[in-house]
Amino acid sequence: GPMGATVSGDAAGAVPVHAFLFGEDQGRYLLAVPPSEVAGLESRAREAGVPLRAIGVTGGDALIFPGEPPMLMTTLGDAHGRFLPALMEGVL
């Protein structure tokens, strides 16, 4: 959707942030929960032995990665929506 997010600077740890965020890894899942649910989720994950790490917060009109300029969600949506039609028309 059009909701932005701010990814924290330490989200990736020792892995390059682009590899951490966009790498195809079948063993990771991204969850979005209300702030009031974070502590309970962390507790349940710990009890189940499931690694869990907060990587940022949602909200706003831009996607913000550490050390990068904000990317407006409208700009990203336009680029995403134009790609397949342009490919089918032979523009790409």
Side-chain angles (χ1 to χ4, degrees), residues 3-9 11 21 54-68 70 73:
M3 184 183 300
T6 300
V7 177
S8 34
L21 295 171
I55 65 165
V57 296
T58 57
D61 63 353
L63 186 55
I64 303 170
F65 294 114
E68 299 295 331
M73 296 306 295

Side-chain angles (χ1 to χ4, degrees), residues 19-20 22-29:
F20 176 76
F22 299 108
E24 295 189 22
D25 183 344
Q26 307 250 340
R28 291 185 291 167
Y29 296 89

Side-chain angles (χ1 to χ4, degrees), residues 3-84:
M3 184 183 300
T6 300
V7 177
S8 34
D10 61 345
V15 177
V17 72
H18 67 280
F20 176 76
L21 295 171
F22 299 108
E24 295 189 22
D25 183 344
Q26 307 250 340
R28 291 185 291 167
Y29 296 89
L30 181 64
L31 305 174
V33 298
S36 61
E37 300 290 324
V38 172
L41 181 62
E42 288 174 335
S43 176
R44 290 190 305 274
R46 205 173 20 259
E47 289 170 6
V50 175
L52 178 71
R53 180 181 343 174
I55 65 165
V57 296
T58 57
D61 63 353
L63 186 55
I64 303 170
F65 294 114
E68 299 295 331
M71 295 177 277
L72 291 175
M73 296 306 295
T74 53
T75 303
L76 293 171
D78 290 345
H80 176 73
R82 284 192 318 263
F83 175 78
L84 192 53

